[in-house]
Amino acid sequence: MGNDEKQRKLAEKPYLGETSLSDLDNVVAQLPDDVVIDILLRLPADRVADCRRVCRRWRSLTSSDYFIKLHLDRSAPLIFVQATDLTDSRGTGKLAFYILDQASNRRNKIKKLRLRPEIKMSQGDTEVVDSCHGLLLFRDAFARWRYYVFNPLTQELLVLDGPNEGASCAFFYDPSANELKILYLCIGFQFFIYSLGGRSWRKIKSPPSGSPPQYDTPPAICNGALHWITSCGRAAEEDIPPCTSGITIFGMDIEDFSTLPHPGDECNSRVNHRNMRLLVVDEHLSFCNVYRGYTVIDIWLLEDYASWAWVRKWCLRPTLDGPRPLESECYSFSRRLEVVHFQNGELWLDCGERGLVLYHLDQNTFKKLGRPPTSYQHRCIPYTKSLVPLHRAALPQD
C-alpha cells in the first residue's frame, strides 16, 4: 500500500491512541446521565455553555434546574468591573465591561466582556449596582426609574421600570419564597419589592425614620437578612446617624426593617461612615472600616448573631508593615481604597487608578490582579458566572 493510500485511510478514520473518534463518541453516548452531569459540573460556566452546542442531550442535562443550581453552588466568585471611558468625545462616557478572574493564568487577570450588538447597554447611560446568582442589575443614569437585569454569560436582558423615580437597595435571592427579588426605595421614603417570578411590584413597610440603607452599596446577606451601613446622606446639613443605629437590617421573611449599632468606637464622622463596608466571611457578618487616610483597615466578625457580639479579628496597617508597603502601590497615586470582597483569608481591594489588588491578611502580602485602561473610571462588584435564565426566577430548594 502506497503512502497516499495510507494517508487516505487515516483521514477516513482518525483515532486517538488505539481508539477511534467514532468509538469514543459511542462510549460517551452510553454514559449514564449522572456521570455526564458529574463531568460537566467540573467545567466553568462558559465552557458548559459551549458544551450545550454538542448535542441535544447535553443541552437538556445542563438546562435543568438541578444542574443549574448545583453548578452555581460550586462556582467560585469573580469580580465584575464596569469601566467608563472619561475621554469619550461624545461626552456620554462609553462603557466597557470586564470580568476579573483570580484563577486565570494571564498576567493581567481582567478580561473584557463582549456584548452582542443588540444589547444596548454600552453608551454611558447605565451603572451596575448589584448582582445575584450570576445576574447583574443595572440602573439607567437618565431614566432613574428604569433598571436592567442582565446575564453576561447567556446575554439575556430584562428591562423593568420602577413604580416611581428612586434607587435600588438590593438584588437578592429570598430562600423562604424561593424567588429573586429587588428592594427599591422611591422618592418620599417609600419601599417596594419586585418579584422576578411574578414580574410585579408591591409596597412594603418603610424603616424607622432616619435610618435608610446605604443604597449605593450592595448589602451583606446572612442569617436570613440583608445588612447595610446606615446611610448618612450626601448633603452637609443632613444629620449623621447615631452609631447605635449604624447598621440597617431587612429581614427577608418578615419584610421588616430594624437597626443595630456597628462595632468600634463612636465615630461621628460622615467620611468614616461612607468608608465602612459590610461583607460575609465564612457565613459570619463582617464589618470593615477603612480610616486614617486609607492607612488602617479594621475588620470585625459577628461571632454571635443573637447577642450581636462582635470581635475585632484584624487591624491592618498596610502602609507600615511588610517588605513592600501597599502605600507605594495603591494609595499614593489615587488616594482611594475600597474593600470589594473577602474570600479564603484574602481581601479584594479596589485601589482606583492602580487597579485591583489581592491582599493576604495573615502573610501581609499582596498581588496585582489587573485594571481597565487608564482612561477609564470603574466600579467593581462581586459576581459569579452562572447559567441562570431570566425566565426562571426561582431555583429548586435543597
Side-chain angles (χ1 to χ4, degrees), residues 130-351:
D130 210 342
S131 71
C132 180
H133 281 182
L135 306 179
L136 294 165
L137 182 66
F138 291 82
R139 174 174 54 216
D140 194 296
F142 300 108
R144 304 294 291 183
W145 60 88
R146 179 156 295 162
Y147 281 77
Y148 307 89
V149 182
F150 179 58
N151 187 328
L153 183 63
T154 64
Q155 305 262 314
E156 292 179 290
L157 178 66
L158 169 68
V159 182
L160 60 95
D161 288 342
N164 203 338
E165 183 175 349
S168 163
C169 297
F171 182 32
F172 64 99
Y173 172 69
D174 181 359
S176 62
N178 192 26
E179 284 189 315
L180 293 173
K181 298 179 177 180
I182 297 172
L183 178 63
Y184 188 81
L185 168 61
C186 280
I187 291 178
F189 209 58
Q190 296 179 327
F191 284 79
F192 292 80
I193 287 282
Y194 181 84
S195 168
L196 265 70
R199 298 288 197 268
S200 60
W201 292 95
R202 57 186 174 82
K203 189 176 180 180
I204 63 171
K205 183 180 178 181
S206 298
S209 178
S211 57
Q214 197 175 63
Y215 57 83
D216 57 351
T217 303
I221 305 177
C222 69
N223 204 50
L226 315 180
H227 306 78
W228 305 262
I229 297 297
T230 302
S231 175
C232 59
R234 299 186 179 276
E237 63 273 10
E238 294 185 54
D239 293 335
I240 301 171
C243 297
T244 53
S245 303
I247 294 178
T248 299
I249 303 168
F250 177 76
M252 289 186 284
D253 54 349
I254 60 175
E255 294 188 346
D256 197 10
F257 290 92
S258 60
T259 60
L260 283 169
H262 67 67
D265 300 329
E266 291 278 330
C267 56
N268 197 34
S269 167
R270 189 179 306 277
V271 174
N272 281 356
H273 273 253
R274 288 178 180 167
N275 288 337
M276 294 174 182
R277 292 291 180 270
L278 293 175
L279 305 172
V280 177
V281 178
D282 298 330
E283 299 183 356
H284 290 269
L285 188 64
S286 173
F287 172 79
C288 299
N289 190 14
V290 181
Y291 60 103
R292 292 183 186 173
Y294 304 119
T295 62
V296 177
I297 306 174
D298 274 354
I299 301 178
W300 299 68
L301 290 184
L302 184 59
E303 290 198 332
D304 189 333
Y305 195 94
S307 62
W308 204 246
W310 292 86
V311 59
R312 186 160 62 175
K313 190 71 174 179
W314 294 279
C315 182
L316 309 177
R317 304 178 186 274
T319 64
L320 303 178
D321 303 327
R324 299 179 63 191
L326 200 59
E327 163 85 22
S328 61
E329 294 295 335
C330 299
Y331 305 150
S332 58
F333 183 75
S334 66
R335 303 302 300 174
R336 170 185 169 187
L337 175 68
E338 183 176 335
V339 178
V340 179
H341 186 57
F342 189 115
Q343 181 185 2
N344 299 327
E346 295 175 320
L347 282 175
W348 301 60
L349 303 174
D350 179 7
C351 300

Side-chain angles (χ1 to χ4, degrees), residues 15 22 39 54 73 84 88 98 123 195 219-220 226 235 239-240 281 303 319 334 343 370 375 382:
Y15 64 94
S22 59
I39 294 172
V54 173
D73 291 342
T84 307
D88 185 65
Y98 298 85
Q123 303 304 317
S195 168
L226 315 180
D239 293 335
I240 301 171
V281 178
E303 290 198 332
T319 64
S334 66
Q343 181 185 2
S375 62

Side-chain angles (χ1 to χ4, degrees), residues 37 52 59-69 392:
I37 288 174
R52 286 180 169 179
R59 182 177 183 85
S60 176
L61 291 176
T62 59
S63 300
S64 68
D65 288 350
Y66 170 79
F67 182 92
I68 290 173
K69 183 178 187 303
R392 188 176 303 152

Side-chain angles (χ1 to χ4, degrees), residues 81-110:
V81 183
Q82 174 181 299
T84 307
D85 187 358
L86 301 178
T87 65
D88 185 65
S89 59
R90 294 170 298 176
T92 57
K94 186 176 181 181
L95 298 182
F97 300 147
Y98 298 85
I99 300 293
L100 189 144
D101 185 359
Q102 180 197 356
S104 171
N105 55 12
R106 295 156 45 104
R107 182 175 180 181
N108 186 353
K109 300 181 183 298
I110 185 168

